[in-house]
């Protein structure tokens, strides 16, 4: 596990900030944690703080070709709405914040391991490594905004996000939820392709 500890940076609520994140970016101003509810028709995710208090919730309509998802705060106030664009070579999602700010996450093609998602409309970039389950969000001045880490082999699809710019928290949460959906879409696509390939070879 020591070889991968540099990359696997997920931590549970209540634990100390990841030592590698602290060394590279300093102490986060806030950390949030996600847990997705399994065995429900509607994909629901709770986003909690270090004390495991629910801060935000996300809810995805079912069925929905466009993967329509809403994010609210703990009191039920709208935070953001997310939709996936169909029939595009890029993995592209549209996000509209409650204050009217809108932007897109568009994944660059041909990145096999390392992923680069341009956040069009904000000038931000999400860089990461799907194999290491670790992503960094950078602003238009190339300053760190947040570090997102996914738990390895988690039934509940758990993520941790260390936030370094407090005023961008809600936008970070919207990007975090969108990233979860993008990764799930990619996993589903990979599984479907593998099944089709194996079925074709068996005939």
């Amino acid at each position: 596990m020591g070889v991968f500890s540099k990359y696997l940076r997920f931590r549970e609520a209540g634990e100390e900030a990841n030592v590698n994140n602290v060394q590279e970016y300093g102490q986060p101003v806030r950390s949030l944690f996600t847990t997705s509810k399994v065995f429900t028709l509607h994909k629901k995710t709770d986003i909690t703080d270090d004390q495991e208090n629910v801060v935000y919730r996300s809810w995805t309509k079912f069925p929905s070709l466009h993967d329509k998802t809403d994010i609210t705060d703990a009191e039920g106030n709208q935070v953001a709405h997310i939709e996936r664009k169909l029939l595009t070579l890029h993995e592209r999602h549209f996000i509209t914040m409650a204050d009217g700010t809108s932007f897109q996450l568009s994944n660059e093609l041909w990145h096999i391991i390392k992923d680069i998602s341009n956040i069009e409309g904000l000038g931000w970039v999400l860089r990461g490594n799907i194999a290491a389950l670790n992503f960094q969000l950078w602003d238009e001045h190339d300053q760190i905004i947040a570090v997102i880490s996914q738990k390895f082999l988690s039934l509940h699809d758990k993520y941790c996000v260390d936030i370094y710019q407090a005023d961008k928290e809600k936008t970070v949460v919207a990007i975090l939820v969108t990233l979860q959906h993008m990764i799930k879409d990619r996993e589903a696509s990979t599984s479907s392709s593998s099944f089709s390939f194996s079925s074709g070879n068996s005939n």
Side-chain angles (χ1 to χ4, degrees):
M1 190 70 176
V3 176
F4 297 103
S5 62
K6 176 181 178 183
Y7 302 102
L8 300 178
R9 303 190 180 194
F10 175 85
R11 66 184 175 95
E12 299 281 1
E15 295 179 351
E16 294 291 326
N18 180 274
V19 63
N20 294 299
N21 286 354
V22 173
Q23 288 176 353
E24 292 181 42
Y25 312 114
Q27 284 285 348
V29 297
R30 168 102 142 156
S31 295
L32 298 172
F33 306 85
T34 76
T35 301
S36 296
K37 299 181 185 300
V38 295
F39 310 124
T40 61
L41 285 178
H42 301 278
K43 180 177 174 62
K44 296 181 179 179
T45 300
D46 287 340
I47 301 167
T48 60
D49 61 16
D50 265 313
Q51 286 73 48
E52 300 187 26
N53 300 308
V54 174
V55 185
Y56 303 98
R57 288 188 170 96
S58 76
W59 178 87
T60 302
K61 294 180 180 178
F62 179 86
S64 174
L65 286 175
H66 293 277
D67 198 29
K68 294 181 179 180
T69 300
D70 285 297
I71 302 171
T72 63
D73 63 19
E75 288 73 41
N77 300 306
Q78 183 77 6
V79 171
H81 177 78
I82 303 165
E83 291 193 22
R84 176 181 59 210
K85 183 177 181 180
L86 296 178
L87 303 177
T88 176
L89 290 175
H90 293 260
E91 297 168 329
R92 188 182 295 272
H93 286 70
F94 297 92
I95 300 96
T96 304
M97 304 300 295
D99 65 3
T101 302
S102 61
F103 54 94
Q104 302 175 34
L105 256 70
S106 175
N107 192 264
E108 290 188 6
L109 299 178
W110 321 127
H111 292 275
I112 305 303
I113 299 297
K114 290 188 176 181
D115 269 58
I116 301 174
S117 293
N118 297 309
I119 304 178
E120 302 167 17
L122 297 180
W124 300 359
V125 177
L126 184 68
R127 302 188 184 107
N129 189 316
I130 284 182
L133 310 176
N134 183 35
F135 299 84
Q136 304 85 42
L137 182 61
W138 303 87
D139 68 16
E140 67 274 24
H141 305 296
D142 209 27
Q143 299 295 309
I144 191 71
I145 300 172
V147 177
I148 299 170
S149 306
Q150 183 182 9
K151 185 176 183 179
F152 185 60
L153 297 178
S154 170
L155 176 64
H156 294 275
D157 198 24
K158 290 188 173 184
Y159 286 73
C160 164
V161 55
D162 289 334
I163 301 172
Y164 294 89
Q165 297 188 36
D167 61 317
K168 298 179 172 63
E169 177 175 308
K170 290 182 178 180
T171 306
V172 169
V173 169
I175 291 170
L176 167 64
V177 172
T178 304
L179 176 64
Q180 286 182 286
H181 283 245
M182 291 173 77
I183 291 175
K184 280 296 182 184
D185 285 348
R186 183 172 296 189
E187 289 173 351
S189 177
T190 300
S191 297
S192 177
S193 297
S194 300
F195 177 79
S196 298
F197 179 77
S198 60
S199 298
N201 283 344
S202 63
N203 291 330

